[in-house]
Amino acid sequence: MFLGSLAAAALAATTANAATPMDLSIIDRAVADFTGATIGQPGGAKLPVDRRLRLASCNAPLDLQWFGRDQRSVQVACPTAGWRIYVAVDAGAGGGHGASPQYGQTLVKRGENVSILVRGSGFTLTRQGSAVEDGAQGEWIKVRATGQRTETLRAMVIRPGQVGIDLP
């Protein structure tokens, strides 16, 4: 009898988890990490994700990528739940990530905090870190993930405050 009630409780918990909507603040944080700017800042999301949305909870890392040729939106998708939304990004007056920096212009300075994007087939992971050297757009520089004392990574400068590594 005990085993049967335990199985029923486990089934009820699984059903409750499946019905639990996605915490939209997780999406807001993921977009801020991806863009390197918070909501309302140039380069960041124009507005928080609409709180009226009821998305299924995502049991896998969110997949974020730029959408549109001028990168004015971020596509956020959950591969396990099957949903996809688009978050408008504010390019800002006089720049933001949409502006074309001059060739050779330093976008990331040594010691600066950066968002490190690691992109692979169907996923994007974001981690905070710091630049170990200066770099212009398209240049490969050394970065150190937050919490790592000695190990450095090589990442390409994408825009101010953001570097990336594309996996095969």
mmCIF file of all heavy atoms in Angstrom, residues 83-120:
data_model
loop_
_atom_site.group_PDB
_atom_site.id
_atom_site.type_symbol
_atom_site.label_atom_id
_atom_site.label_comp_id
_atom_site.label_asym_id
_atom_site.label_seq_id
_atom_site.Cartn_x
_atom_site.Cartn_y
_atom_site.Cartn_z
ATOM 1 N N TRP A 83 8.982 25.786 -27.279
ATOM 2 C CA TRP A 83 8.546 27.158 -27.502
ATOM 3 C C TRP A 83 9.715 28.033 -27.946
ATOM 4 O O TRP A 83 10.862 27.704 -27.744
ATOM 5 C CB TRP A 83 7.851 27.758 -26.282
ATOM 6 C CG TRP A 83 8.587 27.702 -24.979
ATOM 7 C CD1 TRP A 83 8.380 26.818 -23.965
ATOM 8 C CD2 TRP A 83 9.634 28.567 -24.534
ATOM 9 N NE1 TRP A 83 9.236 27.074 -22.929
ATOM 10 C CE2 TRP A 83 10.016 28.147 -23.257
ATOM 11 C CE3 TRP A 83 10.295 29.646 -25.107
ATOM 12 C CZ2 TRP A 83 11.026 28.772 -22.527
ATOM 13 C CZ3 TRP A 83 11.304 30.274 -24.389
ATOM 14 C CH2 TRP A 83 11.653 29.834 -23.118
ATOM 15 N N ARG A 84 9.353 29.159 -28.567
ATOM 16 C CA ARG A 84 10.335 30.138 -29.055
ATOM 17 C C ARG A 84 9.695 31.508 -28.952
ATOM 18 O O ARG A 84 8.561 31.693 -29.359
ATOM 19 C CB ARG A 84 10.665 29.820 -30.505
ATOM 20 C CG ARG A 84 11.589 30.797 -31.164
ATOM 21 C CD ARG A 84 11.898 30.387 -32.572
ATOM 22 N NE ARG A 84 12.400 29.022 -32.553
ATOM 23 C CZ ARG A 84 12.375 28.186 -33.578
ATOM 24 N NH1 ARG A 84 11.871 28.559 -34.718
ATOM 25 N NH2 ARG A 84 12.853 26.967 -33.479
ATOM 26 N N ILE A 85 10.439 32.469 -28.391
ATOM 27 C CA ILE A 85 9.953 33.849 -28.331
ATOM 28 C C ILE A 85 11.049 34.774 -28.846
ATOM 29 O O ILE A 85 12.209 34.372 -28.951
ATOM 30 C CB ILE A 85 9.520 34.267 -26.901
ATOM 31 C CG1 ILE A 85 10.711 34.260 -25.941
ATOM 32 C CG2 ILE A 85 8.380 33.397 -26.399
ATOM 33 C CD1 ILE A 85 10.403 34.903 -24.590
ATOM 34 N N TYR A 86 10.672 36.018 -29.126
ATOM 35 C CA TYR A 86 11.605 37.013 -29.617
ATOM 36 C C TYR A 86 11.557 38.221 -28.690
ATOM 37 O O TYR A 86 10.485 38.704 -28.357
ATOM 38 C CB TYR A 86 11.253 37.420 -31.055
ATOM 39 C CG TYR A 86 11.323 36.237 -31.983
ATOM 40 C CD1 TYR A 86 10.221 35.411 -32.182
ATOM 41 C CD2 TYR A 86 12.508 35.908 -32.621
ATOM 42 C CE1 TYR A 86 10.292 34.307 -33.001
ATOM 43 C CE2 TYR A 86 12.592 34.801 -33.448
ATOM 44 C CZ TYR A 86 11.485 34.002 -33.631
ATOM 45 O OH TYR A 86 11.572 32.898 -34.431
ATOM 46 N N VAL A 87 12.730 38.685 -28.296
ATOM 47 C CA VAL A 87 12.840 39.817 -27.377
ATOM 48 C C VAL A 87 13.476 40.978 -28.130
ATOM 49 O O VAL A 87 14.578 40.850 -28.665
ATOM 50 C CB VAL A 87 13.693 39.443 -26.141
ATOM 51 C CG1 VAL A 87 13.849 40.630 -25.212
ATOM 52 C CG2 VAL A 87 13.090 38.246 -25.409
ATOM 53 N N ALA A 88 12.759 42.107 -28.195
ATOM 54 C CA ALA A 88 13.268 43.295 -28.889
ATOM 55 C C ALA A 88 14.428 43.900 -28.109
ATOM 56 O O ALA A 88 14.402 43.975 -26.885
ATOM 57 C CB ALA A 88 12.158 44.322 -29.050
ATOM 58 N N VAL A 89 15.454 44.320 -28.841
ATOM 59 C CA VAL A 89 16.660 44.892 -28.247
ATOM 60 C C VAL A 89 16.787 46.344 -28.667
ATOM 61 O O VAL A 89 16.497 46.701 -29.808
ATOM 62 C CB VAL A 89 17.907 44.086 -28.686
ATOM 63 C CG1 VAL A 89 19.180 44.714 -28.188
ATOM 64 C CG2 VAL A 89 17.797 42.651 -28.198
ATOM 65 N N ASP A 90 17.205 47.189 -27.728
ATOM 66 C CA ASP A 90 17.380 48.617 -27.977
ATOM 67 C C ASP A 90 18.811 48.882 -28.436
ATOM 68 O O ASP A 90 19.743 48.785 -27.648
ATOM 69 C CB ASP A 90 17.086 49.399 -26.698
ATOM 70 C CG ASP A 90 17.198 50.900 -26.874
ATOM 71 O OD1 ASP A 90 17.339 51.364 -28.021
ATOM 72 O OD2 ASP A 90 17.133 51.596 -25.849
ATOM 73 N N ALA A 91 18.976 49.225 -29.707
ATOM 74 C CA ALA A 91 20.308 49.528 -30.227
ATOM 75 C C ALA A 91 20.842 50.813 -29.618
ATOM 76 O O ALA A 91 22.040 51.025 -29.550
ATOM 77 C CB ALA A 91 20.292 49.631 -31.746
ATOM 78 N N GLY A 92 19.949 51.680 -29.158
ATOM 79 C CA GLY A 92 20.373 52.911 -28.484
ATOM 80 C C GLY A 92 20.844 53.972 -29.440
ATOM 81 O O GLY A 92 21.263 53.697 -30.550
ATOM 82 N N ALA A 93 20.776 55.187 -28.985
ATOM 83 C CA ALA A 93 21.252 56.311 -29.784
ATOM 84 C C ALA A 93 22.761 56.331 -29.784
ATOM 85 O O ALA A 93 23.393 56.170 -28.759
ATOM 86 C CB ALA A 93 20.712 57.623 -29.208
ATOM 87 N N GLY A 94 23.329 56.450 -30.949
ATOM 88 C CA GLY A 94 24.773 56.586 -31.049
ATOM 89 C C GLY A 94 25.534 55.322 -30.794
ATOM 90 O O GLY A 94 26.685 55.344 -30.432
ATOM 91 N N GLY A 95 24.870 54.171 -30.956
ATOM 92 C CA GLY A 95 25.697 52.987 -30.796
ATOM 93 C C GLY A 95 24.951 51.769 -30.377
ATOM 94 O O GLY A 95 24.061 51.326 -31.042
ATOM 95 N N GLY A 96 25.340 51.212 -29.236
ATOM 96 C CA GLY A 96 24.847 49.910 -28.882
ATOM 97 C C GLY A 96 25.561 48.889 -29.730
ATOM 98 O O GLY A 96 26.514 49.176 -30.424
ATOM 99 N N HIS A 97 25.080 47.674 -29.713
ATOM 100 C CA HIS A 97 25.749 46.628 -30.474
ATOM 101 C C HIS A 97 25.485 46.745 -31.959
ATOM 102 O O HIS A 97 26.200 46.170 -32.752
ATOM 103 C CB HIS A 97 25.302 45.256 -29.975
ATOM 104 C CG HIS A 97 23.886 44.979 -30.275
ATOM 105 N ND1 HIS A 97 22.871 45.396 -29.460
ATOM 106 C CD2 HIS A 97 23.285 44.374 -31.337
ATOM 107 C CE1 HIS A 97 21.718 45.046 -29.986
ATOM 108 N NE2 HIS A 97 21.931 44.427 -31.118
ATOM 109 N N GLY A 98 24.458 47.494 -32.375
ATOM 110 C CA GLY A 98 24.112 47.594 -33.782
ATOM 111 C C GLY A 98 25.011 48.542 -34.554
ATOM 112 O O GLY A 98 25.040 48.521 -35.757
ATOM 113 N N ALA A 99 25.755 49.385 -33.879
ATOM 114 C CA ALA A 99 26.632 50.332 -34.564
ATOM 115 C C ALA A 99 27.874 49.613 -35.070
ATOM 116 O O ALA A 99 28.331 48.665 -34.473
ATOM 117 C CB ALA A 99 27.038 51.452 -33.616
ATOM 118 N N SER A 100 28.421 50.080 -36.171
ATOM 119 C CA SER A 100 29.632 49.480 -36.698
ATOM 120 C C SER A 100 30.839 50.191 -36.109
ATOM 121 O O SER A 100 31.077 51.355 -36.396
ATOM 122 C CB SER A 100 29.673 49.615 -38.223
ATOM 123 O OG SER A 100 28.594 48.929 -38.787
ATOM 124 N N PRO A 101 31.616 49.483 -35.277
ATOM 125 C CA PRO A 101 32.795 50.132 -34.731
ATOM 126 C C PRO A 101 33.836 50.342 -35.821
ATOM 127 O O PRO A 101 33.841 49.632 -36.819
ATOM 128 C CB PRO A 101 33.295 49.148 -33.676
ATOM 129 C CG PRO A 101 32.693 47.843 -34.044
ATOM 130 C CD PRO A 101 31.444 48.128 -34.817
ATOM 131 N N GLN A 102 34.687 51.319 -35.628
ATOM 132 C CA GLN A 102 35.754 51.545 -36.593
ATOM 133 C C GLN A 102 36.736 50.390 -36.524
ATOM 134 O O GLN A 102 36.961 49.806 -35.468
ATOM 135 C CB GLN A 102 36.477 52.848 -36.284
ATOM 136 C CG GLN A 102 35.608 54.054 -36.506
ATOM 137 C CD GLN A 102 36.343 55.333 -36.175
ATOM 138 O OE1 GLN A 102 37.401 55.322 -35.556
ATOM 139 N NE2 GLN A 102 35.782 56.441 -36.598
ATOM 140 N N TYR A 103 37.321 50.055 -37.662
ATOM 141 C CA TYR A 103 38.261 48.950 -37.735
ATOM 142 C C TYR A 103 39.400 49.172 -36.744
ATOM 143 O O TYR A 103 39.975 50.253 -36.663
ATOM 144 C CB TYR A 103 38.825 48.833 -39.161
ATOM 145 C CG TYR A 103 39.824 47.723 -39.292
ATOM 146 C CD1 TYR A 103 39.410 46.403 -39.339
ATOM 147 C CD2 TYR A 103 41.188 47.998 -39.336
ATOM 148 C CE1 TYR A 103 40.324 45.379 -39.442
ATOM 149 C CE2 TYR A 103 42.108 46.972 -39.441
ATOM 150 C CZ TYR A 103 41.671 45.670 -39.493
ATOM 151 O OH TYR A 103 42.578 44.653 -39.590
ATOM 152 N N GLY A 104 39.697 48.153 -35.967
ATOM 153 C CA GLY A 104 40.802 48.227 -35.027
ATOM 154 C C GLY A 104 40.469 48.913 -33.709
ATOM 155 O O GLY A 104 41.298 48.974 -32.816
ATOM 156 N N GLN A 105 39.252 49.437 -33.565
ATOM 157 C CA GLN A 105 38.852 50.127 -32.336
ATOM 158 C C GLN A 105 38.728 49.104 -31.205
ATOM 159 O O GLN A 105 38.069 48.084 -31.333
ATOM 160 C CB GLN A 105 37.518 50.822 -32.563
ATOM 161 C CG GLN A 105 36.960 51.510 -31.343
ATOM 162 C CD GLN A 105 35.585 52.120 -31.613
ATOM 163 O OE1 GLN A 105 35.042 52.005 -32.703
ATOM 164 N NE2 GLN A 105 35.041 52.753 -30.609
ATOM 165 N N THR A 106 39.357 49.397 -30.077
ATOM 166 C CA THR A 106 39.301 48.509 -28.920
ATOM 167 C C THR A 106 37.899 48.535 -28.324
ATOM 168 O O THR A 106 37.397 49.582 -27.946
ATOM 169 C CB THR A 106 40.343 48.925 -27.860
ATOM 170 O OG1 THR A 106 41.644 48.834 -28.445
ATOM 171 C CG2 THR A 106 40.274 48.025 -26.643
ATOM 172 N N LEU A 107 37.267 47.350 -28.265
ATOM 173 C CA LEU A 107 35.925 47.236 -27.707
ATOM 174 C C LEU A 107 35.939 46.621 -26.312
ATOM 175 O O LEU A 107 35.017 46.825 -25.542
ATOM 176 C CB LEU A 107 35.040 46.375 -28.611
ATOM 177 C CG LEU A 107 34.803 46.880 -30.033
ATOM 178 C CD1 LEU A 107 33.861 45.948 -30.776
ATOM 179 C CD2 LEU A 107 34.246 48.290 -30.021
ATOM 180 N N VAL A 108 36.964 45.839 -26.038
ATOM 181 C CA VAL A 108 37.098 45.198 -24.727
ATOM 182 C C VAL A 108 38.468 45.550 -24.176
ATOM 183 O O VAL A 108 39.473 45.413 -24.864
ATOM 184 C CB VAL A 108 36.944 43.667 -24.841
ATOM 185 C CG1 VAL A 108 37.244 42.982 -23.521
ATOM 186 C CG2 VAL A 108 35.553 43.301 -25.321
ATOM 187 N N LYS A 109 38.506 46.021 -22.949
ATOM 188 C CA LYS A 109 39.769 46.407 -22.315
ATOM 189 C C LYS A 109 40.162 45.397 -21.248
ATOM 190 O O LYS A 109 39.300 44.779 -20.616
ATOM 191 C CB LYS A 109 39.648 47.787 -21.689
ATOM 192 C CG LYS A 109 39.396 48.887 -22.708
ATOM 193 C CD LYS A 109 39.648 50.246 -22.108
ATOM 194 C CE LYS A 109 39.413 51.329 -23.118
ATOM 195 N NZ LYS A 109 40.369 51.382 -24.168
ATOM 196 N N ARG A 110 41.445 45.257 -21.062
ATOM 197 C CA ARG A 110 41.983 44.343 -20.051
ATOM 198 C C ARG A 110 41.372 44.661 -18.682
ATOM 199 O O ARG A 110 41.262 45.827 -18.301
ATOM 200 C CB ARG A 110 43.497 44.493 -19.986
ATOM 201 C CG ARG A 110 44.123 43.588 -18.974
ATOM 202 C CD ARG A 110 45.613 43.735 -18.984
ATOM 203 N NE ARG A 110 46.164 42.773 -18.064
ATOM 204 C CZ ARG A 110 47.314 42.898 -17.466
ATOM 205 N NH1 ARG A 110 48.062 43.951 -17.701
ATOM 206 N NH2 ARG A 110 47.744 41.968 -16.657
ATOM 207 N N GLY A 111 40.939 43.611 -17.974
ATOM 208 C CA GLY A 111 40.347 43.766 -16.660
ATOM 209 C C GLY A 111 38.854 44.033 -16.671
ATOM 210 O O GLY A 111 38.197 43.988 -15.637
ATOM 211 N N GLU A 112 38.290 44.307 -17.854
ATOM 212 C CA GLU A 112 36.857 44.600 -17.977
ATOM 213 C C GLU A 112 36.035 43.326 -17.788
ATOM 214 O O GLU A 112 36.420 42.241 -18.225
ATOM 215 C CB GLU A 112 36.592 45.165 -19.373
ATOM 216 C CG GLU A 112 35.158 45.494 -19.668
ATOM 217 C CD GLU A 112 34.971 46.031 -21.082
ATOM 218 O OE1 GLU A 112 35.959 46.386 -21.747
ATOM 219 O OE2 GLU A 112 33.817 46.089 -21.521
ATOM 220 N N ASN A 113 34.870 43.464 -17.121
ATOM 221 C CA ASN A 113 33.937 42.346 -17.007
ATOM 222 C C ASN A 113 33.292 42.112 -18.359
ATOM 223 O O ASN A 113 32.887 43.065 -19.032
ATOM 224 C CB ASN A 113 32.863 42.633 -15.965
ATOM 225 C CG ASN A 113 33.416 42.620 -14.566
ATOM 226 O OD1 ASN A 113 34.399 41.936 -14.282
ATOM 227 N ND2 ASN A 113 32.819 43.387 -13.686
ATOM 228 N N VAL A 114 33.199 40.847 -18.762
ATOM 229 C CA VAL A 114 32.605 40.487 -20.050
ATOM 230 C C VAL A 114 31.651 39.314 -19.874
ATOM 231 O O VAL A 114 31.759 38.548 -18.918
ATOM 232 C CB VAL A 114 33.684 40.106 -21.097
ATOM 233 C CG1 VAL A 114 34.556 41.294 -21.453
ATOM 234 C CG2 VAL A 114 34.533 38.939 -20.629
ATOM 235 N N SER A 115 30.720 39.190 -20.821
ATOM 236 C CA SER A 115 29.883 37.996 -20.938
ATOM 237 C C SER A 115 30.580 37.089 -21.937
ATOM 238 O O SER A 115 30.930 37.527 -23.037
ATOM 239 C CB SER A 115 28.492 38.336 -21.456
ATOM 240 O OG SER A 115 27.775 39.061 -20.499
ATOM 241 N N ILE A 116 30.789 35.832 -21.548
ATOM 242 C CA ILE A 116 31.423 34.849 -22.426
ATOM 243 C C ILE A 116 30.325 33.939 -22.955
ATOM 244 O O ILE A 116 29.670 33.245 -22.183
ATOM 245 C CB ILE A 116 32.478 34.017 -21.666
ATOM 246 C CG1 ILE A 116 33.509 34.926 -21.007
ATOM 247 C CG2 ILE A 116 33.134 33.014 -22.604
ATOM 248 C CD1 ILE A 116 34.417 34.213 -20.009
ATOM 249 N N LEU A 117 30.092 33.961 -24.269
ATOM 250 C CA LEU A 117 29.096 33.111 -24.903
ATOM 251 C C LEU A 117 29.793 31.903 -25.497
ATOM 252 O O LEU A 117 30.764 32.054 -26.244
ATOM 253 C CB LEU A 117 28.376 33.841 -26.028
ATOM 254 C CG LEU A 117 27.188 34.703 -25.655
ATOM 255 C CD1 LEU A 117 27.610 35.868 -24.786
ATOM 256 C CD2 LEU A 117 26.494 35.182 -26.885
ATOM 257 N N VAL A 118 29.315 30.724 -25.177
ATOM 258 C CA VAL A 118 29.798 29.486 -25.789
ATOM 259 C C VAL A 118 28.625 28.933 -26.578
ATOM 260 O O VAL A 118 27.592 28.594 -26.004
ATOM 261 C CB VAL A 118 30.287 28.469 -24.733
ATOM 262 C CG1 VAL A 118 30.759 27.194 -25.414
ATOM 263 C CG2 VAL A 118 31.394 29.073 -23.882
ATOM 264 N N ARG A 119 28.772 28.890 -27.916
ATOM 265 C CA ARG A 119 27.665 28.477 -28.776
ATOM 266 C C ARG A 119 28.006 27.180 -29.479
ATOM 267 O O ARG A 119 29.101 27.004 -29.988
ATOM 268 C CB ARG A 119 27.368 29.552 -29.807
ATOM 269 C CG ARG A 119 26.875 30.835 -29.175
ATOM 270 C CD ARG A 119 26.599 31.881 -30.201
ATOM 271 N NE ARG A 119 27.865 32.445 -30.664
ATOM 272 C CZ ARG A 119 28.043 33.703 -31.012
ATOM 273 N NH1 ARG A 119 27.032 34.527 -30.981
ATOM 274 N NH2 ARG A 119 29.203 34.142 -31.402
ATOM 275 N N GLY A 120 27.028 26.287 -29.489
ATOM 276 C CA GLY A 120 27.155 25.026 -30.197
ATOM 277 C C GLY A 120 25.879 24.767 -30.970
ATOM 278 O O GLY A 120 24.978 25.606 -31.009
#
